[in-house]
Structure formats: structure tokens, C-alpha cells
Amino acid sequence: MKHYLLSVVTPSEAEPPSPEALEQIRRNVHGFHQELQQAGAWVFAGGLSSPTAATVVRAKDGDTLLTDGPYIEGKEYLGGLCIIKAPDLDAALDWGRKAARAITLPIEVRPFEGEAEG
């Protein structure tokens, strides 16, 4: 089995969902995670704080420099992730479709490098 990253693509300028809609999304995501676990595809999943909570650590001249806040500003950011096991890209894309329906945001599906298919 190959590992894949399902990334939640979160728009920076979007209005947050209403509390009712957010609760429904949480239930949908919980159901999605349970389905992954029952299928043996679950590895790890979690939501992330906004980029404003980030600290960037950069190596420079043998030392490190810490910078608060996002390093790159963009229209979208990584809002969460799920690492899954799937036999191939088609199966991973099926999980990505389910994730997109549960989360209601775009999902980017990417294989980890250096792992053989199957």
C-alpha cells in the first residue's frame, strides 16, 4: 500500500460557515474518518490552525531565525490533512472525493515520494 496526503485547501478570504453548518461538517468528517478506519486506510488526520498561528523556522549562516506568522501569503492555505493508505492513485482519489463531500472544501491528493505502488 502506498501512502497519500489528502490536503484540505482552505480559502483565506472565505467567510467561516455558520455554527450549524460547521457542526454538520464535523459530523460528516467524523463519519469519513470512521469509514477510513473501517477500511484499513486510516493513518492520521487533523485540522490546522490558521497561518497567523504559524512560526517559520529558517536556517541561516549556521543559526536559525524564527518569524511569526505565515511566510507566504496566498489566497488559500493548508487547513488540515489526512494521511491514508491506498493500493493506487485511483483508490486515493476515491477517498479524496469522499473527503471533499464531507469537508465541503477542495481536497488535493498527493502521493508520498519514494514509495512503490501496490
Side-chain angles (χ1 to χ4, degrees):
M1 291 269 199
K2 188 165 179 65
H3 288 85
Y4 292 85
L5 174 68
L6 307 182
S7 303
V8 179
V9 180
T10 305
S12 297
E13 302 297 323
E15 287 289 321
S18 69
E20 298 81 19
L22 188 56
E23 183 55 37
Q24 182 61 51
I25 291 168
R26 283 188 179 122
R27 284 193 299 271
N28 293 346
V29 169
H30 179 73
F32 170 67
H33 289 168
Q34 285 184 317
E35 186 178 353
L36 280 169
Q37 290 168 354
Q38 290 169 355
W42 170 271
V43 175
F44 174 82
L48 296 170
S49 298
S50 76
T52 58
T55 302
V56 177
V57 181
R58 182 180 295 114
K60 184 173 182 176
D61 300 328
D63 201 1
T64 55
L65 175 65
L66 304 179
T67 306
D68 290 335
Y71 174 65
I72 298 174
E73 294 186 24
K75 295 181 182 186
E76 300 169 329
Y77 64 91
L78 178 62
L81 58 94
C82 185
I83 299 172
I84 64 166
K85 295 182 285 189
D88 55 36
L89 180 59
D90 288 337
L93 290 172
D94 285 341
W95 286 115
R97 288 179 186 94
K98 291 178 181 188
R101 286 192 294 270
I103 297 169
T104 72
L105 290 170
I107 301 295
E108 180 184 70
V109 178
R110 294 172 66 180
F112 280 82
E113 288 188 10
E115 293 185 346
E117 291 283 337

